[in-house]
Amino acid sequence: MSQPNIVLNVNGIEVIYNHVILVLKGVSLQVPEGGIVALLGGNGAGKTTTLRAISNLLKAERGDVTKGSIELRGERIENLSPADLVKRGVVQVMEGRHCFAHLTIEENLMTGSYTRADKGEVAANLDKVYTYFPRLKTRRASQAAYTSGGEQQMCAIGRALMTNPNLVLLDEPSMGLAPQIVEEVFHIVKDLNTKEKVTFLLAEQNTNMALKYADYGYIMESGRIMMDGKAQDLANNSDVKEFYLGVGGDGRKSFRDVKSYKRRKRWLA
Ligand SMILES: Nc1ncnc2c1ncn2[C@@H]1O[C@H](COP(=O)(O)OP(=O)(O)OP(=O)(O)O)[C@@H](O)[C@H]1O
Ligand SMILES: [Mg+2]
């Protein structure tokens, strides 16, 4: 990619699971340095698969990128391990939060810095996370299992920040959270973007909220990008309004509820 301000360039990727199931059918997107880009779409559209392809977490799911390329500031990254990507400043916050239930919030945060040797830097980083997430500071000694869904989402983002990233792939931060908490989380994301210059690629079903905070959006359906544009233009687009913003929410809400129920079950198991 020649444009210097493009941090991530995904170019026509196809992803196949289990050698047969074609899930991404030529996805292209770009993330500019310092931006917040939203990847939108309903259940099963391919958002998580796209993020996993970028962070190279597909292998664990028996998925492969079979076509196309992914470049980070012009460097091909398809063959880099997730750990190598973290060294280059790319980190993914997984869907469903995945905090360690039996560790405290602070212990969870510290797991994000295990590759870093400089104790002083790590302590400064922890302080910084606490300034953005004062709730985590209050709950630092609490076992994650006993914290709220919002605090767990904040913990997952905070842990990613402990790797000192410049590109965060954030998978459905709003999932299963009350609207007020979603707003709080997005507000912090925006703050991190503005003040710390962290770039975000954000997968979301919550189109409304994502477009409120993102600069640019891509809308996915069945493994393809259907539309893209400036966040404000998408929010005002009549098709987007009809299909993604105007939907009464009932159908989607029930999907969301089912998902968060399943996750809660997994969490408690
Ligand atoms: N490990 C897997 N093996 C086979 N198929 C998979 C696997 N993971 C996802 N899929 C399929 O890939 C498609 C895209 O799924 P993906 O999880 O990427 O969608 P999504 O947009 O993140 O959806 P959601 O909003 O529900 O999280 C779906 O049809 C899903 O069933
Ligand atoms: Mg997903």
Side-chain angles (χ1 to χ4, degrees):
M1 189 63 231
S2 54
Q3 282 165 276
N5 61 337
I6 297 296
V7 55
L8 180 71
N9 183 27
V10 175
N11 185 23
I13 59 166
E14 282 189 4
V15 167
I16 293 184
Y17 281 116
N18 298 315
H19 303 291
V20 282
I21 311 162
L22 178 65
V23 167
L24 297 191
K25 301 159 187 166
V27 168
S28 297
L29 60 85
Q30 296 188 323
V31 180
E33 197 88 56
I36 301 181
V37 173
L39 186 58
L40 306 164
N43 270 119
K47 305 180 296 298
T48 297
T49 302
T50 305
L51 296 194
R52 282 194 192 130
I54 298 164
S55 57
N56 211 347
L57 291 168
L58 275 177
K59 291 279 179 295
E61 302 284 329
R62 299 179 35 91
D64 285 303
V65 177
T66 50
K67 259 191 199 162
S69 62
I70 306 174
E71 292 165 11
L72 181 74
R73 297 186 187 86
E75 180 195 9
R76 295 281 292 260
I77 57 169
E78 299 95 297
N79 294 318
L80 295 185
S81 68
D84 283 338
L85 286 165
V86 166
K87 281 189 204 136
R88 283 168 173 74
V90 182
V91 67
Q92 177 160 355
V93 180
M94 308 256 226
E95 191 178 33
R97 305 192 268 276
H98 298 288
C99 294
F100 299 107
H102 301 294
L103 298 186
T104 65
I105 290 288
E106 186 151 307
E107 286 163 348
N108 265 283
L109 293 175
M110 292 306 285
T111 62
S113 66
Y114 74 101
T115 52
R116 299 173 60 186
D118 189 323
K119 298 258 179 307
E121 261 182 35
V122 170
N125 209 329
L126 184 65
D127 272 349
K128 198 186 271 179
V129 169
Y130 285 146
T131 55
Y132 285 94
F133 297 98
R135 267 165 179 266
L136 294 183
K137 189 166 188 179
T138 316
R139 305 285 270 143
R140 67 203 292 174
S142 304
Q143 218 175 299
Y146 300 114
T147 60
S148 70
E151 285 158 355
Q152 286 167 26
Q153 181 63 69
M154 291 176 193
C155 179
I157 300 173
R159 188 174 56 191
L161 293 173
M162 291 298 291
T163 66
N164 204 16
N166 49 51
L167 173 62
V168 176
L169 311 172
L170 188 50
D171 200 354
E172 279 205 61
S174 77
M175 187 185 295
L177 302 182
Q180 200 189 333
I181 307 295
V182 175
E183 191 93 44
E184 194 179 330
V185 169
F186 271 82
H187 194 80
I188 297 168
V189 164
K190 188 78 181 176
D191 234 21
L192 287 162
N193 173 254
T194 315
K195 296 180 187 155
E196 304 295 330
K197 311 286 175 224
V198 179
T199 302
F200 285 90
L201 174 60
L202 181 84
E204 258 302 339
Q205 287 202 27
N206 190 335
T207 307
N208 211 355
M209 194 67 80
L211 289 179
K212 188 169 155 190
Y213 287 90
D215 319 301
Y216 200 88
Y218 290 86
I219 298 180
M220 281 193 91
E221 249 178 55
S222 310
R224 290 193 172 88
I225 305 287
M226 308 304 285
M227 200 188 292
D228 65 295
K230 286 186 185 155
Q232 213 171 0
D233 294 344
L234 289 179
N236 292 324
N237 179 290
S238 54
D239 288 343
V240 175
K241 276 185 186 160
E242 184 178 348
F243 292 110
Y244 299 99
L245 297 175
V247 190
D250 284 0
R252 292 241 223 118
K253 208 171 183 171
S254 66
F255 268 124
R256 190 179 289 278
D257 287 347
V258 167
K259 284 180 70 170
S260 64
Y261 166 73
K262 277 193 198 147
R263 285 192 173 118
R264 259 199 308 273
K265 235 172 76 173
R266 219 183 292 157
W267 176 261
L268 294 171

